[in-house]
Amino acid sequence: MRVTRTLRAGTGVALTGALLLAAGGTAQADQVRSKQWPLEAFGVKDIWKQATGKGVTVALIETGIRTSHQDLTGQFVTGKDFSQGVDGSEALKPGQDIRDHGTAMAGIIAGHGHGADGAQGIKGLAPGAKIMPLTAYKNESMATRYAADHGADVINMSYGVTRDGDTCESIRYALEKGAIVVAGVGNDGTSKKNYPAACPGVIGVGAVNQYGETWSRSNYNDTVDLLAPGEGIPFAQGKSDSAYTVSDGTSPATAYVSAAAALLREKFPDLTPGQIANRLVKTAGLAKPEKAKNLKLPDAHYGYGFIQPAAALSRDIPAGPAQGPLAMPQGKAAQPAADPGAGNGQPSASSANTSKWLVIGGGALAVVVAGVVVAVVVSRRRGRSSSQAWS
């Protein structure tokens, strides 16, 4: 992965200054696209010559998704609601929408933009993929099993929960069905381990900025396998069909890895989830300062490094063993126990203590709804050189 953006001389700051996002209007929408620094860093024009995610389904387990957003229309296959009347609305802050987080993740994965040639708004890393929307605030394991049974190639888990009896078993079930499972390691900025990222077989994802440095609040431990862009990320929001925001977190980083997995699944349909992870790991990169440290990989902060999808798609890499570099679960997955609340609109008793990361990285830095323009100064670390290579 490489960043080719020219940064302001003397500051080394990408995305510095007033970021104007507005609903409607070519100039404002173009600015949304121009601030998607991960697309430039990944070199998506070359990537999309090899794969776009066409024919691949990414299951998105979320609290809600605005499927009518102008950058997402037509990108969905049939999903299912597992919320049973519990959606986590009480955890929202004023001005937030229960669909914000899911809409943001969907856009990062498979957004197609809007306007002429889709040149405005949010573009996903895998715009040819389809999203399976699964609403589940308290019953994520049920949604995971549903995704596996209904053809999901990749399952994105941009959330953290308290582990219950089926958290890791449902993931084992999905892996047996051939699904690639990707989860964020958490936004605590500590060594705390979170589920589902800590389950065997999951690709655990931390967040990195455009300089190749880990985001300050990205958790660090042995569940970190890969890093992906997670700082200063613009994305679609659920407040309206033309709302956008800029924020940070391991959630968007997870979505970028899921999108990269979708690209690889299209090009290498016969590889196992572990072998897909192997291609991502074998082509992961580190910034020059980190390379100079001669880190022993996987590193608690950096895992194997940040994803480089173009290299993962194009390099000659032996498939390797089925499990790849991941610590895969052993044995066959158990069937879930009967859930007394499953049929009466009540939350699952086994997952009553779950908690989803509703707020990405502690809250949006810029939120825009129809007819409103918000100017935001997005600050970054200073003292950098005028450009930064990620390879």
Side-chain angles (χ1 to χ4, degrees):
M1 181 176 181
R2 65 186 187 280
V3 171
T4 57
R5 181 184 302 280
T6 299
L7 308 180
R8 289 193 180 185
T11 64
V13 178
L15 305 183
T16 294
L19 171 58
L20 301 179
L21 306 181
T26 301
Q28 293 87 350
D30 284 348
Q31 288 183 32
V32 175
R33 177 66 56 81
S34 70
K35 302 306 179 186
Q36 280 194 274
W37 65 265
L39 298 185
E40 183 178 354
F42 288 136
V44 290
K45 291 183 179 179
D46 291 332
I47 286 174
W48 293 335
K49 293 175 183 178
Q50 301 182 69
T52 63
K54 183 177 181 180
V56 176
T57 298
V58 180
L60 195 55
I61 303 176
E62 279 290 345
T63 52
I65 303 171
R66 191 178 189 95
T67 58
S68 60
H69 194 283
Q70 62 185 351
D71 297 339
L72 288 168
T73 54
Q75 294 298 80
F76 298 91
V77 299
T78 302
K80 190 171 181 178
D81 181 7
F82 293 92
S83 63
Q84 299 178 4
V86 181
D87 61 10
S89 297
E90 71 280 358
L92 294 174
K93 295 181 179 179
Q96 293 179 329
D97 190 288
I98 197 66
R99 297 164 295 181
D100 282 348
H101 193 276
T103 306
M105 301 306 105
I108 287 171
I109 296 168
H112 53 51
H114 65 275
D117 298 320
Q120 302 172 42
I122 296 298
K123 191 86 166 186
L125 177 58
K130 295 295 184 182
I131 299 292
M132 179 188 294
L134 302 175
T135 305
Y137 181 63
K138 295 288 187 179
N139 296 291
E140 291 86 2
S141 295
M142 294 169 61
T144 300
R145 290 178 180 271
Y146 177 92
D149 285 335
H150 290 79
D153 301 288
V154 182
I155 304 177
N156 186 87
M157 299 179 172
S158 290
Y159 57 81
V161 297
T162 300
R163 181 181 180 180
D164 66 24
D166 200 37
T167 300
C168 293
E169 283 298 305
S170 63
I171 288 172
R172 180 189 306 209
Y173 181 78
L175 291 167
E176 290 174 0
K177 293 280 188 174
I180 303 154
V181 183
V182 188
V185 298
N187 302 336
D188 309 293
T190 70
S191 60
K192 174 186 176 182
K193 292 186 180 181
N194 286 305
Y195 289 90
C199 290
V202 173
I203 300 175
V205 183
V208 69
N209 67 15
Q210 65 266 45
Y211 303 111
E213 303 165 329
T214 52
W215 177 53
S216 62
R217 290 177 57 186
S218 187
N219 284 15
Y220 48 90
N221 51 56
D222 62 8
T223 69
V224 180
D225 296 305
L226 293 163
L227 300 176
E231 186 173 345
I233 308 298
F235 35 61
Q237 284 290 84
K239 298 167 183 60
S240 76
D241 289 344
S242 53
Y244 299 94
T245 186
V246 177
S247 195
D248 315 313
T250 60
S251 284
T254 301
Y256 273 119
V257 174
S258 289
L263 297 173
L264 291 170
R265 173 58 79 212
E266 178 192 350
K267 187 168 182 180
F268 305 102
D270 297 327
L271 294 185
T272 66
Q275 289 167 337
I276 293 290
N278 183 57
R279 293 194 73 89
L280 290 169
V281 162
K282 290 289 177 62
T283 55
L286 291 171
K288 291 180 180 179
E290 279 61 52
K291 285 181 180 179
K293 296 176 184 177
N294 294 315
L295 300 174
K296 182 180 179 180
L297 304 180
D299 176 76
H301 290 83
Y302 288 86
Y304 289 96
F306 50 73
I307 60 169
Q308 300 190 105
L313 284 164
S314 61
R315 287 188 189 170
D316 183 12
I317 299 171
Q323 71 273 17
L326 305 178
M328 287 292 184
Q330 301 300 312
K332 299 292 288 183
Q335 292 300 313
D339 187 343
N344 58 12
Q346 300 298 316
S348 166
S350 64
S351 57
N353 294 322
T354 58
S355 60
K356 188 178 293 289
W357 300 328
L358 291 173
V359 183
I360 304 170
L365 299 181
V367 179
V368 182
V369 293
V372 180
V373 180
V374 180
V376 178
V377 176
V378 183
S379 64
R380 285 291 179 270
R381 295 174 176 85
R382 297 183 179 273
R384 301 283 184 233
S385 60
S386 62
S387 64
Q388 171 66 53
W390 283 41
S391 59

